[in-house]
């Protein structure tokens, strides 16, 4: 599952559009109902892609994250394979960016409650030009 696309019902698809213009899926879009329907398809594992915090266009001052340089990002949403911080999740995928890890952990718990296992897609040797690696709260995924 490409997490930022799941649950995004906005079909604008404007080139170089903002999150407000094009929308973005959230961890919370994987509701109990959605996960149950996925399970009914015979799915035993969900491979969540684009979860690590990768380079994106957009600031998150509430968590001390500045926007990446638009000259080196693949579109505003960035590439999920240009990781900015392996110890955090993409703030675009959270409803409340200050609780992004908690929202991700809740998604993992919901997935397990529906009898499915989780795979997280990461590429350990692909980092963004603005890699920071700020491990916070002693927690990482």
């Amino acid at each position: 599952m490409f997490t930022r696309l799941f649950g995004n019902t906005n079909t604008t698809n404007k080139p170089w559009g903002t999150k407000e213009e094009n929308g973005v899926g959230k961890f919370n879009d994987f509701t109990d109902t959605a996960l149950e329907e996925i399970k009914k398809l015979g799915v035993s594992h969900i491979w969540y892609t684009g979860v690590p915090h990768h380079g994106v266009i957009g600031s998150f001052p509430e968590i001390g994250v500045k926007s990446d340089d638009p000259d080196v990002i693949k579109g505003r949403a960035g590439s999920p394979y240009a990781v900015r911080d392996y110890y955090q999740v993409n703030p675009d995928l959270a409803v409340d960016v200050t609780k992004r890890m908690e929202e991700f952990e809740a998604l993992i718990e919901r997935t397990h409650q529906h009898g499915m296992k989780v795979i997280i897609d990461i590429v350990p040797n692909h980092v963004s030009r603005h890699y920071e690696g700020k491990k916070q709260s002693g927690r990482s995924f």
Side-chain angles (χ1 to χ4, degrees):
M1 296 281 182
F2 197 18
T3 311
R4 73 179 181 214
L5 297 180
F6 187 88
N8 181 15
T9 58
N10 186 327
T11 59
T12 305
N13 298 322
K14 178 181 176 185
W16 200 250
T18 65
K19 288 178 281 192
E20 293 74 24
E21 292 169 322
N22 289 336
V24 63
K26 306 288 184 186
F27 295 130
N28 291 348
D29 290 330
F30 290 91
T31 63
D32 286 320
T33 301
L35 290 168
E36 192 56 36
E37 292 301 314
I38 291 168
K39 177 70 175 173
K40 285 181 187 176
L41 296 171
V43 172
S44 61
H45 293 69
I46 296 183
W47 187 336
Y48 292 113
T49 302
V51 171
H53 183 179
H54 57 275
V56 297
I57 302 299
S59 295
F60 300 92
E62 60 273 42
I63 57 173
V65 173
K66 295 179 183 174
S67 182
D68 285 277
D69 185 331
D71 292 331
V72 296
I73 299 297
K74 294 179 180 178
R76 288 185 179 271
S79 168
Y81 300 110
V83 176
R84 183 172 176 167
D85 186 347
Y86 284 106
Y87 297 99
Q88 266 298 341
V89 296
N90 183 353
D92 281 342
L93 303 178
V95 173
D96 178 349
V97 298
T98 65
K99 298 189 183 316
R100 64 198 183 282
M101 188 61 79
E102 290 89 341
E103 289 184 28
F104 174 65
E105 290 170 346
L107 168 60
I108 300 306
E109 182 61 31
R110 279 193 310 279
T111 304
H112 289 164
Q113 287 173 352
H114 288 276
M116 294 177 284
K117 300 209 184 270
V118 172
I119 300 169
I120 303 301
D121 186 297
I122 66 166
V123 182
N125 63 339
H126 290 204
V127 296
S128 74
R129 294 183 188 190
H130 192 158
Y131 182 81
E132 293 184 2
K134 297 182 200 174
K135 187 172 182 182
Q136 299 173 1
S137 307
R139 294 169 27 183
S140 62
F141 67 93

